[in-house]
């Protein structure tokens, strides 16, 4: 191994460590390691023999195109929207708070976040706090309406938006003045803290309880005669 190859390996190792700082799950850590290992192999094969480099690069491309990351199929309390139902559902009952994930199946970040989002829905979903998802890769007009980029190089997938009263209140990641996504880690702790899920859950439960109980009716005035008690001999005696 010459010094040039050592430099290449050290450079790629540094990139892997930087990428893994934003990784949440073990799968993401391993995915970054394997991906940049392939990049290192491609460079080293090209340095050794151009034909071997082309062959290895072709195999890597075929592997990436045919081996998609598995979809999450676990338990969840999430409503899936289409381009025709999302606006209608958000406007149906403005007392309901919605957290909606805008995702694409081809995004590795979205696949990694899927089990985290499902777990949050199991913990916090209630009558007044609902969780939803919409596939902006399948419904590009939704991505346009809600300003979520679906470019292959985008940093906006996934995007979480909080809706209250049918209107957007906040989103993560945020978008700066230049239209670029501000770096944000989609961990369970970050979502709970940034979206104040504990507070939203308590408010939603309190509102739901008030709706179930309904308005209290004023007590009717009692008739003085009705307030009398009947004695065993059939006579009545007014209560004092």
């Amino acid at each position: 191994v010459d010094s040039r190859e050592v430099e290449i390996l050290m450079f790629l190792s540094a990139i892997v460590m930087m990428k893994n700082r934003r990784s949440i799950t073990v799968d993401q850590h391993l995915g970054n390691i394997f991906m940049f290992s392939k990049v290192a192999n491609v460079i080293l094969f090209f340095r050794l023999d151009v034909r071997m480099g082309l062959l290895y690069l072709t195999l890597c491309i075929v592997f990436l195109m045919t081996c998609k990351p598995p979809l999450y199929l676990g338990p969840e309390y999430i409503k899936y929207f289409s381009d025709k139902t999302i606006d209608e559902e958000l406007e149906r009952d403005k007392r309901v708070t919605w957290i909606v994930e805008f995702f694409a199946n081809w995004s590795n970040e979205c696949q990694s976040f899927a089990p985290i989002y499902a777990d949050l829905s199991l913990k916090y979903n209630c009558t007044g706090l609902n969780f939803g998802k919409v596939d902006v890769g399948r419904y590009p007009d939704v991505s346009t309406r809600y300003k979520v980029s679906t470019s292959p190089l985008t940093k906006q997938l996934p995007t979480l938006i909080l809706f209250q009263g049918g209107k957007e209140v906040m989103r993560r990641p945020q978008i700066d003045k230049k239209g670029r996504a501000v770096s944000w880690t989609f961990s369970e702790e970050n979502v709970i803290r940034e979206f104040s899920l504990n507070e939203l859950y308590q408010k939603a439960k309190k509102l739901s309880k008030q709706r179930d109980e309904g308005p209290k009716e004023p007590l009717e005035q009692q008739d003085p005669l009705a307030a009398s008690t009947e004695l065993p001999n059939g006579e009545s005696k007014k209560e004092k």
Side-chain angles (χ1 to χ4, degrees), residues 106-118:
W106 50 261
S107 169
N108 290 329
E109 288 77 11
C110 292
Q111 297 301 332
S112 298
F113 182 60
I116 297 173
Y117 191 60

Side-chain angles (χ1 to χ4, degrees), residues 166-183:
K167 304 296 182 182
E168 178 180 336
V169 176
M170 63 173 290
R171 71 167 60 195
R172 292 293 182 273
Q174 293 176 304
I175 308 301
D176 62 19
K177 295 180 180 179
K178 296 181 179 180
R180 295 176 300 189
V182 179
S183 180

Side-chain angles (χ1 to χ4, degrees), residues 96-99 146 160-172 174 194-195 200:
V96 176
T97 296
W98 281 94
I99 297 178
Y146 290 93
L160 280 184
I161 300 182
L162 174 67
F163 294 93
Q164 290 182 321
K167 304 296 182 182
E168 178 180 336
V169 176
M170 63 173 290
R171 71 167 60 195
R172 292 293 182 273
Q174 293 176 304
E194 292 288 320
F195 287 84
L200 287 176

Side-chain angles (χ1 to χ4, degrees), residues 46-236:
F46 268 106
R47 284 176 56 83
L48 180 64
D49 190 325
V50 174
R51 290 172 298 178
M52 292 182 65
L54 289 173
L55 176 60
Y56 186 80
L57 180 60
T58 302
L59 292 175
C60 289
I61 294 173
V62 171
F63 176 80
L64 290 173
M65 293 179 64
T66 56
C67 298
K68 301 290 184 180
L71 298 177
Y72 176 77
L73 300 175
E76 58 186 22
Y77 285 138
I78 297 173
K79 184 176 182 63
Y80 286 79
F81 300 124
S82 69
D83 54 344
K84 296 179 176 60
T85 61
I86 181 170
D87 295 333
E88 176 186 347
E89 195 65 41
L90 292 175
E91 295 287 340
R92 184 189 301 275
D93 187 348
K94 294 189 176 182
R95 294 171 296 181
V96 176
T97 296
W98 281 94
I99 297 178
V100 181
E101 179 194 355
F102 295 76
F103 75 103
N105 282 327
W106 50 261
S107 169
N108 290 329
E109 288 77 11
C110 292
Q111 297 301 332
S112 298
F113 182 60
I116 297 173
Y117 191 60
D119 188 53
L120 289 169
S121 73
L122 294 172
K123 292 178 180 177
Y124 290 98
N125 185 81
C126 62
T127 303
L129 177 59
N130 293 171
F131 290 76
K133 293 180 76 168
V134 59
D135 187 350
V136 290
R138 184 178 180 183
Y139 304 111
D141 56 326
V142 176
S143 69
T144 302
R145 288 206 306 269
Y146 290 93
K147 297 180 175 60
V148 178
S149 173
T150 56
S151 165
L153 301 177
T154 184
K155 299 296 184 182
Q156 295 186 37
L157 292 176
T159 286
L160 280 184
I161 300 182
L162 174 67
F163 294 93
Q164 290 182 321
K167 304 296 182 182
E168 178 180 336
V169 176
M170 63 173 290
R171 71 167 60 195
R172 292 293 182 273
Q174 293 176 304
I175 308 301
D176 62 19
K177 295 180 180 179
K178 296 181 179 180
R180 295 176 300 189
V182 179
S183 180
W184 196 72
T185 302
F186 280 88
S187 66
E188 183 170 335
E189 296 77 11
N190 282 352
V191 175
I192 292 172
R193 182 181 64 253
E194 292 288 320
F195 287 84
S196 303
L197 284 187
N198 291 317
E199 290 80 0
L200 287 176
Y201 180 76
Q202 293 301 326
K203 289 180 181 178
K205 293 290 285 185
K206 188 178 296 184
L207 176 62
S208 176
K209 186 177 180 180
Q210 292 174 353
R211 288 165 60 183
D212 292 340
E213 291 176 351
K216 294 183 178 180
E217 297 180 359
L219 294 174
E220 296 182 358
Q221 292 184 346
Q222 291 185 338
D223 187 348
L225 296 177
S228 61
T229 58
E230 189 172 337
L231 298 176
N233 59 5
E235 298 178 358
S236 63

